[in-house]
Amino acid sequence: MDLLVFKIILVVALFAVSLGVAAYSTWGERKVAAILQDRVGPNRAGPFGLLQPLADGGKLFFKEGFIPANAERFLFVLGPSITMAISLITGAVIPWGQSLNIGGESFQVQIADIDVGVLFLIGMVSVGVYGMMIGGWASNNKYSLLGAIRASSQMISYELAMGLALLSIIMMSSSLNLNTIVADQGSGKLWGLFEVDGWNWNIFYQPLAFIIFIVAALAETNRHPFDLPECESELVNGYMTEYSSMSFGMYMFGEYVNMFISNALIATLFFGGFNYPGINWVTENWGENVAGILSILAILTKAIIGILIFMWIRWTIPRFRYDQLMHLGWKTLIPLALVNLLITGAVILFAGA
């Protein structure tokens, strides 16, 4: 098989999986809420309500797309498009599995293997702010604009803590390449004491960076308790107030795709990515393809578990006030991330000496 053909298949597969996970995350969200609140949840559209996401998607498609008379029409459409596009693009640099052997040739299960993959991800997260800001400003609605300003302030604030948490992982692996970061977690001695196969994960070395990163990820994806940009009780519906039909749907699906990609990134950075206990043994004894398929299932399982935890947090913890949200970001997470960075540097220097 030609490399270009494999990459095209991989792009289509990632697009389909991302949208599929996003669609069924809406079903899973309601089921998790129902379980925590002792309710049934969706149970009418298909068995166990499994066709509910299709019904919701159909409803959004057939609704009238309304654009306010005084809105900036081009920017009004561009806002949700940016959010959706950036959410999907970020998955391109994540290694989704070990190599697969097709026709005697090994192919890496990654769309773009670039040396600065971590910087690419941070850059894409920064661009994602524009989708919300443009949507709120183009609506020509004070509630929308206020929601957009709050969203951009929140995301910029928590990007700093997220970036500092990432620096500790970069220092440990001495690379910005996500493949290198994953490979470092696939073998070696855990805490320098005993040999492990496939689970020498960064979470065992950087628990504080993980806590900082996952809190920042909740804020970046506008999930509870950080959903201030779109809280209905205060801002009607934030920057999405004037949106309807699939324009609203793109914002909503963009949030769920973001949640999926964020959890895949968390798995990549802290939980070994596609590595799983015994991966090297499986490769040697069962072959490259079996190990590759299991590695793809491994990272998807880790990402889905992360999504369920995000949902559990949403239906458990109440929303912050805005001043509490900003204080947590600037006065707690950033200082903690700096201290963690200092400790990481000291340990690396001491171990190298």
Side-chain angles (χ1 to χ4, degrees):
M1 180 185 290
D2 185 68
L3 178 60
L4 179 60
V5 175
F6 180 79
K7 293 290 185 181
I8 292 171
I9 293 172
L10 198 56
V11 168
V12 174
L14 179 58
F15 179 77
V17 169
S18 298
L19 290 184
V21 171
Y24 276 91
S25 290
T26 63
W27 174 85
E29 184 102 67
R30 282 178 269 186
K31 280 294 186 182
V32 169
I35 291 168
L36 292 174
Q37 297 171 357
D38 196 22
R39 297 186 288 105
V40 177
N43 65 343
R44 289 291 183 269
F48 306 106
L50 286 172
L51 298 181
Q52 188 65 48
L54 300 179
D56 293 339
K59 180 180 71 174
L60 287 173
F61 269 112
F62 289 109
K63 274 190 172 181
E64 180 184 1
F66 178 79
I67 299 178
N70 295 321
E72 293 282 349
R73 296 181 69 88
F74 174 72
L75 294 179
F76 189 85
V77 174
L78 183 65
S81 303
I82 290 176
T83 298
M84 191 66 182
I86 295 300
S87 300
L88 292 167
I89 288 171
T90 48
V93 295
I94 295 177
W96 292 98
Q98 212 174 30
S99 60
L100 295 173
N101 193 297
I102 303 173
E105 188 176 353
S106 291
F107 294 95
Q108 195 175 2
V109 189
Q110 184 181 17
I111 294 170
D113 182 15
I114 56 178
D115 291 334
V116 290
V118 174
L119 284 180
F120 175 84
L121 286 170
I122 294 174
M124 288 298 102
V125 169
S126 301
V127 173
V129 177
Y130 288 96
M132 299 176 183
M133 195 65 219
I134 288 173
W137 185 82
S139 298
N140 197 24
N141 177 307
K142 291 182 177 64
Y143 290 105
S144 298
L145 181 60
L146 185 56
I149 292 170
R150 291 170 73 154
S152 56
S153 300
Q154 173 178 315
M155 293 185 74
I156 291 168
S157 300
Y158 281 83
E159 277 172 23
L160 294 172
M162 178 181 280
L164 290 170
L166 270 174
L167 277 177
S168 59
I169 301 296
I170 294 167
M171 289 172 66
M172 285 183 60
S173 62
S174 301
S175 176
L176 293 167
N177 188 299
L178 289 170
N179 260 318
T180 303
I181 293 172
V182 172
D184 288 346
Q185 301 175 74
S187 59
K189 290 188 175 182
L190 183 61
W191 296 311
L193 298 176
F194 50 92
E195 197 76 26
V196 294
D197 179 8
W199 54 281
N200 190 25
W201 299 347
N202 285 332
I203 183 66
F204 300 124
Y205 304 97
Q206 292 288 342
L208 181 56
F210 166 70
I211 293 170
I212 294 168
F213 193 91
I214 196 170
V215 171
L218 284 167
E220 291 292 306
T221 53
N222 295 332
R223 299 288 301 179
H224 270 65
F226 302 98
D227 68 328
L228 272 295
E230 54 191 47
C231 49
E232 312 83 24
S233 58
E234 299 179 36
L235 293 172
V236 187
N237 201 29
Y239 59 89
M240 295 187 289
T241 300
E242 299 291 355
Y243 282 89
S244 60
S245 186
M246 276 310 295
S247 297
F248 170 81
M250 289 175 75
Y251 270 130
M252 185 183 71
F253 276 98
E255 179 181 311
Y256 279 103
V257 172
N258 251 334
M259 185 168 63
F260 170 57
I261 299 297
S262 295
N263 279 287
L265 180 60
I266 290 169
T268 300
L269 295 172
F270 295 98
F271 293 97
F274 55 74
N275 288 302
Y276 53 88
I279 185 171
N280 297 322
W281 184 90
V282 171
T283 305
E284 292 171 7
N285 293 274
W286 293 353
E288 185 179 359
N289 284 341
V290 174
I293 292 168
L294 289 177
S295 68
I296 295 170
L297 294 176
I299 190 171
L300 290 177
T301 301
K302 293 171 187 176
I304 290 169
I305 290 172
I307 290 172
L308 292 173
I309 292 172
F310 271 40
M311 293 175 179
W312 172 40
I313 291 171
R314 172 176 182 177
W315 298 102
T316 306
I317 302 177
R319 179 184 294 137
F320 286 124
R321 293 198 316 265
Y322 197 73
D323 62 315
Q324 293 173 329
L325 179 144
M326 297 304 282
H327 285 173
L328 176 65
W330 287 97
K331 295 185 176 181
T332 304
L333 293 186
I334 291 177
L336 279 176
L338 288 170
V339 169
N340 184 67
L341 202 59
L342 183 64
I343 294 170
T344 301
V347 170
I348 291 172
L349 187 63
F350 176 77

